[in-house]
Amino acid sequence: HPRGPATRRNRQMAETTVKVVVRCRPLLPHETDKDVKNVSTIDEDGGRITISGRTHDYGNESVVGGGDRHATMYDRTAKPLIAQLFDGYNATVLAYGQTGSGKTHTMGTAFDEAEVDGVVPRAVAEIIDRRQKLISEGRGCLVVCSMCEVYQEEVRDLLMECDEEEGPKAL
């Protein structure tokens, strides 16, 4: 195998190209009111989630608990990408899961929970802060952002203005 800086850099890129972090959402108030049983146990330090007695190993820093762990989720997912944005790289943060699994809770895009800042509001705040710093130093900075969802096999633009009754428009 060839050795040297190029090979080492390629290996590092391969290790950091896609990072998967697993999170289980906390039970919702209407679930706890009905005495719904929480069937998951989260071991952040060990990188494991046990669901109904079956353990899934994900590795170091790849599991984040529910509840108030938004800062940890942000630090492990989007924060490193924002540093790369300002080095000229593109970045994508993707939330994937079945309906009700906690995507909106984790991304923090419900906007009805003012005290909870998920991944998106934290990322936007950091990007704007970094942009302002560059501008105050007399440097230019253009920010281009998109936010989409795939719903029932249809891609929707979540930043496009839309009629409240119709919801987001398909692309």
Side-chain angles (χ1 to χ4, degrees):
H1 296 297
R3 301 242 183 248
T7 303
R8 191 169 32 251
R9 189 178 60 193
N10 290 344
R11 194 170 46 249
Q12 288 171 338
M13 290 293 285
E15 291 173 3
T16 60
T17 302
V18 175
K19 182 173 187 171
V20 175
V21 179
V22 179
R23 184 177 193 193
C24 292
R25 73 159 171 81
L27 292 176
L28 300 173
H30 74 272
E31 294 168 330
T32 56
D33 291 346
K34 294 179 183 175
D35 292 326
V36 172
K37 183 181 176 189
N38 187 351
V39 296
S40 65
T41 304
I42 299 160
D43 175 7
E44 281 190 43
D45 295 332
R48 290 182 291 276
I49 297 177
T50 302
I51 301 173
S52 298
R54 187 169 168 209
T55 300
H56 306 271
D57 290 306
Y58 295 99
N60 189 30
E61 295 194 359
S62 293
V63 173
V64 176
D68 63 352
R69 305 294 292 149
H70 289 295
T72 302
M73 190 67 176
Y74 173 74
D75 289 345
R76 291 186 184 171
T77 58
K79 189 170 186 152
L81 296 177
I82 291 171
Q84 293 175 354
L85 279 175
F86 286 87
D87 288 336
Y89 293 95
N90 292 325
T92 299
V93 176
L94 172 73
Y96 177 82
Q98 70 185 43
T99 299
S101 62
K103 299 174 300 295
T104 301
H105 174 80
T106 295
M107 298 305 274
T109 55
F111 300 117
D112 60 352
E113 303 174 39
E115 74 282 354
V116 178
D117 283 339
V119 171
V120 172
R122 289 170 192 267
V124 169
E126 186 167 344
I127 289 167
I128 297 303
D129 287 348
R130 285 178 175 240
R131 180 181 179 273
Q132 285 304 116
K133 183 176 183 221
L134 290 171
I135 290 171
S136 72
E137 295 170 353
R139 298 168 64 191
C141 181
L142 173 66
V143 175
V144 178
C145 176
S146 61
M147 187 169 169
C148 300
E149 75 174 356
V150 177
Y151 182 74
Q152 295 182 348
E153 298 185 32
E154 193 174 77
V155 179
R156 298 178 179 194
D157 183 341
L158 297 178
L159 298 180
M160 181 185 300
E161 286 191 42
C162 63
D163 185 309
E164 282 189 38
E165 291 179 19
E166 292 179 23
K169 303 242 186 270
L171 298 176

